[in-house]
Amino acid sequence: MSSESSPLLGDRLMRRRSLSNDISIDSEEEEGSTIELLHGENHTSNGNCPCCGSQECLPKDEARPLNANLESLDYDICENELFQQEASRTTHKKWLKKQAARWVIMFFIGIFTALIACFIDVMVHILSTSKFHLIKSYYEQGLQKDSLVIPLLLWVALNVASVGIASILTAYVEPVAAGSGIPQIKCFLNGVKIPHVVRFSTLVCKVIGVTLSVVGGLAIGKEGPMIHSGAVVAAGLSQGRSTTFGFDFGCFQMFEYFRMDSEKRDFVSGGAAAGVSAAFGAPVGGVLFSLEEGASFWNQALTWRIFFASMVTTFTLNMMLSIYHKKAWQFSYPGLINFGKFTDTPYYGQEIPVYILLGIFGGLLGALFNYINYRLTLFRRRNVTTRWLRVLEAILVAMISAVAAFFLIYAINDCQPFGDDPNENPIQMYCLDGQSNSMATLWFQPPEDSVRSLFHDDYAIYKYSTLIAFGVVYFFLACWTYGISVPSGLFIPGLVIGAAWGRLVALFLCAIFPNANWISPGKFALLGAAAQLGGIVRMTLSLTVILIEATGNITLGLPVMIVLMIAKWVGDIFTEGIYDMHIQLQGVPVLGWEPPEMTSNISARKVMSHPVVTLDSLSHANVIVDILKRETHDGFPVVQQQTESLDEHVSIASCENFGTLAGLITRSQLIVLLRQKHSFADGSQAATLTSRDFRSIYPRFPRIESLALSEADLRCSIDLRPFMNPAPYVVYDNTSLPRIFKLFRGLGLRHLVVVNRRNEVIGIVTRKDLARYRVHGAHLTEAEMSA
């Protein structure tokens, strides 16, 4: 290590940029800090509207502050000298091996995602069947004794036990496992790192938690969490190591070259698509889901690999479930939910106005659902702030769900013959032999089976009162359940609610047009389910294909598309989609598909953070250490060596420039340089450090405080030129915000240096600088930062 240095390095002026810049969380700190997407602390914003300068025009509870503790992912490749040296040694054969490795990893992502889905489905089937069979036996005994207290208490106790375990796992082990996980994965693919979101412990809590939550009778589905589970599987397999189990397959080069944010992003996209495919048996829908809901980067090769992973998942799950159901190689179980086949369901032109009305109603109900859930989430963030309170709330929801189901079955004596696919545990209640209580049919089975019953049971199976009471109660239970501290999906509750009121619409139409042959309860139940789910999640293209693939009926593609589009348009008038709503509530700085409106007149000079912390191309180790300890930023522009005195340097800084740009270096690169104790004055030893040294400890880079550096080490100088990105993306200070936004969104940037016409650094733009600009109503708002 060389101790030669410039006379200015020891006394280098510390230059800071504002706190609104991108913030890096060191990995060891991340171990003890979990950012919970649905259960964070409540913060209020005191910002003023940039249009009029007043606070009154800001929509209430809308201009929420951005969470400054969230780290961005860097999808831009650092093409430094080490990268160029490695690229020059890459042969065509080596390139082919890398491409083949991508396909191999995608294959195993599909396999493991299917195995997880099979485990969840089998366990839910076994535990639910046992639970309902036990409750049914006590129901029959209670009916003979004219006392139903014991079955009620048993039902409540079984629900509380299952949900309690799931909630304890979530609240005390991995809080980020709560909910469906779709908002977190959307944030990850957008370029925001949510701590612990792709950890193995999160996967374990997710799988066990969603299994017990479904068995516990909550108004949830297991399909949403499968998307999160697939993403975690993809993130883990693509890296070829696990810190939890202490193994590392880095000796295999097919894993080593994928240890960077951009590569992990592509595999996570494939894992999310595989999760959709496992949930619905919809491989094409899975690809479109990743494209529509999350991915900020896409190309043809990636599309084929993701589709391949989805198909492998569907095939593997189909094979495993067919073996479990003793129908080996029949391949009639493509996903966790089986809607059944919709045959002989034509539609006519005169039905299209009815479909439009269904879409409008679905959009209104979806907006109401989102608004109620939004208010409940705000209340939860303010008052349910401790872990034991979150567990207590989940137990309370489980109790009320059981009690509500019990009293609906008791109060509404809707006796009907068994349907085409009778419940495995029908409750006769006070009905005649050969009949069962229709309300009990909907409650005494997992929610996926309830959807299938509403789709395919005969016309006269359910009365008006049954559908109205069940739909209303399930609506409010689902509103309350989504957001509690358990893994929970929202797809199935939306489908159940929509299928109930869609079937109710069919009954009304049959009463108005008794001789019409185009009214099918199953068809309208499907369209109602699509309208309700579309009104909640605001998905169009991918949800249309998912429903078509899940039903196996392309004929209904146009009606499904109509109701989904109308539901989205109507719902967007009142609220955002529920996933986007929860992302904003947490203050995650996600970037949408398009830049905010009314921002074309905002330039980089206003958006950028200023002043900026910069480094000389030849810097003292002690200066670098001091900067890393004082600053929490991730990226530091590297400027050409300054030769002027300190007073002259202060004069330049006062003129708002920080030296001529030479490149950009990140915190993780600097930590690796200090950790490896590679300090160079002339660059002669740069070859001893390779790109592999930087990938070997990705993504958990040590804290700067954990590095053991001697006084002699700190006096040495480091030549940053071989390691910095010599050609970072830059913009002039008069560049408009929409143009900057498109660069960030399209290229997956983390930092964008702002320079003047002389290529002198005057500021830096990060994701948070852009995400704080939002449009609510007719006003452009500017969010603040929360600690």
Side-chain angles (χ1 to χ4, degrees):
M1 300 180 68
S2 171
S3 59
E4 297 178 11
S5 62
S6 166
L8 283 177
L9 289 176
D11 301 314
R12 180 165 177 81
L13 181 65
M14 299 292 294
R15 296 172 296 225
R16 297 180 177 270
R17 58 179 173 176
S18 66
L19 287 178
S20 64
N21 242 7
D22 193 50
I23 291 184
S24 171
I25 303 176
D26 289 316
S27 59
E28 292 186 6
E29 293 174 333
E30 179 186 318
E31 290 289 335
S33 63
T34 300
I35 306 299
E36 306 166 41
L37 192 63
L38 300 177
H39 306 292
E41 293 183 1
N42 177 51
H43 301 284
T44 57
S45 175
N46 296 320
N48 296 335
C49 175
C51 303
C52 62
S54 68
Q55 291 182 317
E56 281 123 16
C57 73
L58 285 177
K60 188 177 181 180
D61 290 324
E62 290 287 352
R64 309 200 53 87
L66 296 178
N67 193 329
N69 294 319
L70 292 177
E71 182 184 359
S72 296
L73 296 167
D74 195 352
Y75 294 150
D76 184 30
I77 298 176
C78 179
E79 298 180 347
N80 54 20
E81 290 185 14
L82 301 184
F83 175 85
Q84 298 294 339
Q85 293 169 8
E86 186 175 78
S88 65
R89 295 191 297 267
T90 302
T91 62
H92 182 67
K93 182 179 179 180
K94 194 172 184 179
W95 180 85
L96 288 177
K97 287 183 178 180
K98 186 176 180 180
Q99 298 304 314
R102 288 193 171 98
W103 288 91
V104 171
I105 292 175
M106 282 294 189
F107 174 79
F108 283 106
I109 288 172
I111 293 290
F112 280 95
T113 302
L115 293 177
I116 290 173
C118 181
F119 172 81
I120 293 175
D121 192 63
V122 170
M123 293 305 299
V124 167
H125 181 262
I126 293 174
L127 295 176
S128 296
T129 301
S130 302
K131 167 191 167 183
F132 290 127
H133 180 75
L134 180 63
I135 297 175
K136 177 189 174 182
S137 63
Y138 279 94
Y139 248 110
E140 294 173 347
Q141 297 176 17
L143 288 172
Q144 294 176 358
K145 299 177 181 179
D146 200 22
S147 175
L148 297 177
V149 176
I150 292 180
L152 171 61
L153 295 178
L154 178 62
W155 197 346
V156 171
L158 291 176
N159 277 18
V160 167
S162 297
V163 174
I165 296 173
S167 182
I168 290 172
L169 275 176
T170 305
Y172 285 91
V173 181
E174 282 295 357
V176 77
S180 66
I182 295 178
Q184 291 97 323
I185 299 305
K186 286 184 66 172
C187 294
F188 185 93
L189 295 176
N190 191 267
V192 182
K193 183 178 182 180
I194 308 296
H196 297 227
V197 71
V198 290
R199 294 281 181 86
F200 179 79
S201 55
T202 302
L203 176 64
V204 173
C205 292
K206 201 81 175 183
V207 172
I208 298 176
V210 72
T211 301
L212 294 176
S213 297
V214 173
V215 173
L218 297 180
I220 65 170
K222 54 183 180 286
E223 286 68 27
M226 268 310 306
I227 299 172
H228 188 184
S229 299
V232 178
V233 168
L237 288 180
S238 65
Q239 302 306 295
R241 65 180 170 193
S242 171
T243 55
T244 303
F245 297 106
F247 66 81
D248 188 347
F249 294 129
C251 55
F252 298 98
Q253 289 188 351
M254 78 172 186
F255 294 116
E256 177 194 341
Y257 290 105
F258 301 140
R259 291 174 179 176
M260 59 181 68
D261 288 341
S262 57
E263 293 287 354
K264 184 188 284 189
R265 168 201 60 194
D266 293 345
F267 288 112
V268 169
S269 297
V276 174
S277 182
F280 298 98
V284 178
V287 175
L288 294 177
F289 174 85
S290 288
L291 175 61
E292 180 180 8
E293 286 300 304
S296 57
F297 173 81
W298 208 260
N299 60 34
Q300 186 181 27
L302 179 61
T303 304
W304 274 111
R305 290 196 298 270
I306 291 178
F307 181 65
F308 173 71
S310 300
M311 288 298 297
V312 170
T313 299
T314 300
F315 177 84
T316 305
L317 180 61
N318 213 330
M319 181 182 68
M320 299 295 293
L321 290 181
S322 66
I323 294 174
Y324 171 75
H325 291 286
K326 297 180 175 57
K327 298 179 181 179
W329 303 102
Q330 184 173 334
F331 295 106
S332 55
Y333 301 92
L336 296 184
I337 182 171
N338 184 5
F339 288 155
K341 299 298 180 183
F342 282 76
T343 58
D344 193 23
T345 52
Y347 64 93
Y348 304 91
Q350 64 266 27
E351 299 180 58
I352 293 180
V354 181
Y355 300 156
I356 295 175
L357 292 177
L358 289 176
I360 293 174
F361 191 63
L364 292 174
L365 276 183
L368 178 62
F369 185 100
N370 291 358
Y371 179 77
I372 295 174
N373 183 264
Y374 172 76
R375 290 297 172 183
L376 284 172
T377 304
L378 288 179
F379 175 83
R380 188 177 289 121
R381 288 162 59 88
R382 295 189 184 105
N383 300 282
V384 187
T385 55
T386 60
R387 294 178 177 180
W388 69 270
L389 280 177
R390 293 168 189 165
V391 174
L392 184 62
E393 183 194 17
I395 291 175
L396 179 62
V397 174
M399 294 175 58
I400 292 179
S401 298
V403 171
F406 176 87
F407 279 103
L408 284 179
I409 295 172
Y410 182 81
I412 300 178
N413 192 32
D414 184 3
C415 298
Q416 301 295 343
F418 292 132
D420 293 335
D421 53 341
N423 193 321
E424 295 182 7
N425 296 288
I427 299 296
Q428 186 174 355
M429 287 296 288
Y430 303 107
C431 300
L432 301 176
D433 293 340
Q435 294 182 335
S436 65
N437 187 292
S438 296
M439 182 66 77
T441 300
L442 297 175
W443 286 107
F444 261 65
Q445 57 187 355
E448 292 85 356
D449 295 335
S450 299
V451 173
R452 187 168 60 249
S453 297
L454 290 169
F455 282 172
H456 295 287
D457 281 349
D458 290 338
Y459 165 78
I461 291 294
Y462 305 102
K463 294 180 180 179
Y464 292 94
S465 57
T466 300
L467 293 174
I468 293 174
F470 175 78
V472 171
V473 171
Y474 209 89
F475 180 92
F476 287 105
L477 284 178
C479 279
W480 188 10
T481 304
Y482 188 74
I484 65 174
S485 186
V486 295
S488 58
L490 196 57
F491 280 87
I492 293 303
L495 293 174
V496 171
I497 298 166
W501 65 256
R503 194 177 181 94
L504 184 64
V505 169
L507 295 182
F508 281 119
L509 290 175
C510 286
I512 298 173
F513 306 103
N515 298 322
N517 61 354
W518 50 270
I519 302 175
S520 169
K523 177 175 64 177
F524 280 90
L526 172 64
L527 297 178
Q532 180 67 58
L533 184 56
I536 294 173
V537 301
R538 311 291 161 79
M539 293 162 51
T540 53
L541 178 62
S542 58
L543 189 54
T544 300
V545 176
I546 288 171
L547 293 177
I548 290 174
E549 289 186 281
T551 57
N553 193 324
I554 190 64
T555 307
L556 295 176
L558 179 61
V560 169
M561 185 188 70
I562 290 174
V563 297
L564 284 174
M565 291 178 62
I566 299 298
K568 174 178 170 54
W569 291 341
V570 173
D572 284 342
I573 297 175
F574 301 99
T575 64
E576 291 183 294
I578 194 163
Y579 299 139
D580 295 328
M581 184 178 295
H582 279 272
I583 289 172
Q584 284 204 9
L585 279 171
Q586 183 56 35
V588 182
V590 296
L591 301 180
W593 286 104
E594 298 295 334
E597 304 170 9
M598 301 179 290
T599 56
S600 296
N601 62 331
I602 299 177
S603 66
R605 183 172 287 274
K606 181 178 180 181
V607 176
M608 69 183 186
S609 295
H610 177 87
V612 185
V613 179
T614 63
L615 291 168
D616 282 337
S617 55
L618 185 64
S619 297
H620 254 160
N622 63 344
V623 174
I624 296 176
V625 170
D626 192 26
I627 289 177
L628 294 180
K629 287 183 177 180
R630 293 192 182 190
E631 304 294 335
T632 53
H633 319 311
D634 177 79
F636 303 94
V638 179
V639 296
Q640 294 180 3
Q641 187 83 25
Q642 303 292 335
T643 58
E644 68 275 2
S645 66
L646 184 61
D647 293 337
E648 292 173 336
H649 185 77
V650 173
S651 177
I652 291 178
S654 66
C655 297
E656 298 190 345
N657 84 75
F658 299 88
T660 304
L661 179 66
L664 183 73
I665 196 163
T666 63
R667 168 180 288 265
S668 60
Q669 290 174 305
L670 293 172
I671 287 178
V672 172
L673 292 177
L674 294 170
R675 181 174 182 262
Q676 300 291 343
K677 297 185 178 180
H678 280 273
S679 300
F680 318 112
D682 56 2
S684 58
Q685 302 178 28
T688 61
L689 200 64
T690 66
S691 296
R692 175 177 294 185
D693 296 300
F694 292 87
R695 291 192 296 260
S696 62
I697 56 176
Y698 170 87
R700 301 190 185 183
F701 297 98
R703 297 173 54 187
I704 183 62
E705 290 81 5
S706 66
L707 300 183
L709 298 173
S710 64
E711 290 296 329
D713 294 335
L714 294 175
R715 288 195 300 269
C716 294
S717 59
I718 303 178
D719 188 355
L720 302 179
R721 288 171 295 183
F723 313 104
M724 70 181 185
N725 186 351
Y729 289 98
V730 299
V731 293
Y732 287 128
D733 57 344
N734 61 345
T735 306
S736 65
L737 188 148
R739 184 176 291 271
I740 298 173
F741 187 96
K742 291 175 182 177
L743 285 173
F744 265 85
R745 193 65 169 83
L747 299 175
L749 301 182
R750 185 171 186 174
H751 316 95
L752 188 62
V753 182
V754 182
V755 299
N756 57 21
R757 299 294 173 177
R758 297 183 298 275
N759 198 39
E760 296 170 333
V761 179
I762 62 172
I764 193 167
V765 179
T766 65
R767 168 181 292 269
K768 295 185 181 71
D769 296 322
L770 296 177
R772 59 194 173 101
Y773 289 94
R774 305 169 181 170
V775 175
H776 294 291
H779 300 287
L780 178 67
T781 64
E782 188 172 345
E784 289 189 344
M785 290 300 217
S786 66

